[in-house]
Amino acid sequence: MELRTFLDRQTLVNELAEHIAAALSASIAAHGRASLVVSGGSTPVPLFERLSNIELSWQKVVITLADERWVEPTSSDSNEALVRRHLLQNRAADAIFVGLKNAAATAEEGEAECEDRLNDIPQPFTVVILGMGNDGHTASLFPCAAQLAHATDMHCGKLCTAVRPQTAPHQRMSLTLPAILSAKEILLHITGADKKAVLEKALADGPSETMPIRFILRQQTVPMLVYWAE
Ligand SMILES: O=C(O)[C@H](O)[C@@H](O)[C@H](O)[C@H](O)COP(=O)(O)O
């Protein structure tokens, strides 16, 4: 894990967007295609807007989600809606988007179709961008969710799993830990003093509190960069 800190959020966004674009371009040059996994929440909005204006062979890039809330794609809580509004615009309008929400009534019932959709995306994922909540959740791997043990089991054999967080609204579909750790590179995008404190807590040794982000921060197999600005 490498921590990169920036003087302000705009500088962070510019640097992070350049880093992502370089990784996607390198994959396109080597394999003719690339895949980008993005997260929801409020933090990535300026990053999405910056990325959408970057010149790249976007038609060779498949974009999907680290997690989705099980709501209609027209809902303001939908991560798909967020991505459509802020990322799949301008130059990035040419990217191929694979959403997770499908017609199934529950996330559990929608799991098999999500698994099929994810399996069709070129892998390993070129870049996975994650966010983090103040409780240490990432993607929809929430502490205390009954499905956490399954979702973080490196032998669960699945790319995604349904999660019912006790502390956040909506059923979710989340990438599993093995799916996230199958990426070529993981980028954690966080801002503000609160999240810096959560990061420090997650990195500290000691009695392990259930902070799912720990599984990602403390692994040694996938290159991981943390981008932080006040
Ligand atoms: O859809 C989601 O809820 C996310 O993917 C989630 O894991 C998010 O990244 C964090 O909750 C941080 O969200 P903020 O950026 O809003 O703090």
Side-chain angles (χ1 to χ4, degrees):
M1 193 282 293
E2 178 189 328
L3 174 62
R4 296 187 174 176
T5 62
F6 297 85
L7 290 177
D8 57 74
R9 294 182 185 193
Q10 193 53 52
T11 310
L12 181 159
V13 158
N14 293 343
E15 296 287 325
L16 182 51
E18 289 303 325
H19 181 93
I20 293 163
L24 297 176
S25 296
S27 176
I28 292 166
H31 311 292
R33 57 197 191 176
S35 50
L36 174 65
V37 180
V38 300
S39 290
S42 53
T43 311
V45 171
L47 172 69
F48 289 168
E49 291 180 349
R50 176 79 192 99
L51 266 177
S52 76
N53 282 300
I54 285 190
E55 201 173 329
L56 193 71
S57 301
W58 283 106
Q59 72 282 4
K60 295 180 179 160
V61 179
V62 181
I63 298 177
T64 191
L65 297 163
D67 66 322
E68 180 59 288
R69 298 106 185 253
W70 212 252
V71 294
E72 289 309 311
T74 47
S75 160
S76 56
D77 284 347
S78 160
N79 284 342
E80 175 171 342
L82 184 88
V83 167
R84 288 194 185 282
R85 193 174 327 118
H86 298 286
L87 177 56
L88 301 174
Q89 297 287 335
N90 309 312
R91 292 182 158 123
D94 290 341
I96 303 149
F97 178 70
V98 177
L100 298 180
K101 173 70 175 69
N102 52 56
T106 64
E108 287 84 3
E109 288 167 301
E111 224 179 67
E113 185 175 335
C114 284
E115 190 74 22
D116 288 347
R117 290 187 189 186
L118 289 167
N119 263 314
D120 285 344
I121 298 175
Q123 293 184 32
F125 299 127
T126 312
V127 177
V128 173
I129 309 169
L130 294 174
M132 180 181 75
N134 285 342
D135 58 357
H137 81 259
T138 192
S140 278
L141 305 176
F142 282 86
C144 307
Q147 301 78 12
L148 185 67
H150 175 65
T152 57
D153 174 359
M154 286 302 287
H155 302 290
C156 70
K158 285 157 63 180
L159 292 170
C160 67
T161 193
V163 177
R164 291 181 182 245
Q166 294 170 358
T167 49
H170 309 303
Q171 303 167 34
R172 314 283 180 114
M173 189 63 64
S174 181
L175 289 193
T176 61
L177 183 65
I180 294 170
L181 296 185
S182 71
K184 289 188 74 178
E185 181 174 34
I186 300 170
L187 304 172
L188 178 63
H189 179 192
I190 50 174
T191 52
D194 285 4
K195 290 200 181 170
K196 183 77 178 296
V198 176
L199 177 71
E200 279 159 10
K201 197 165 149 191
L203 287 170
D205 287 328
S208 97
E209 204 181 317
T210 314
M211 295 174 82
I213 191 67
R214 278 185 168 229
F215 291 112
I216 320 246
L217 287 171
R218 295 161 72 99
Q219 52 82 34
Q220 309 275 343
T221 47
V222 190
M224 174 172 195
L225 299 176
V226 180
Y227 277 71
W228 177 83
E230 186 70 58

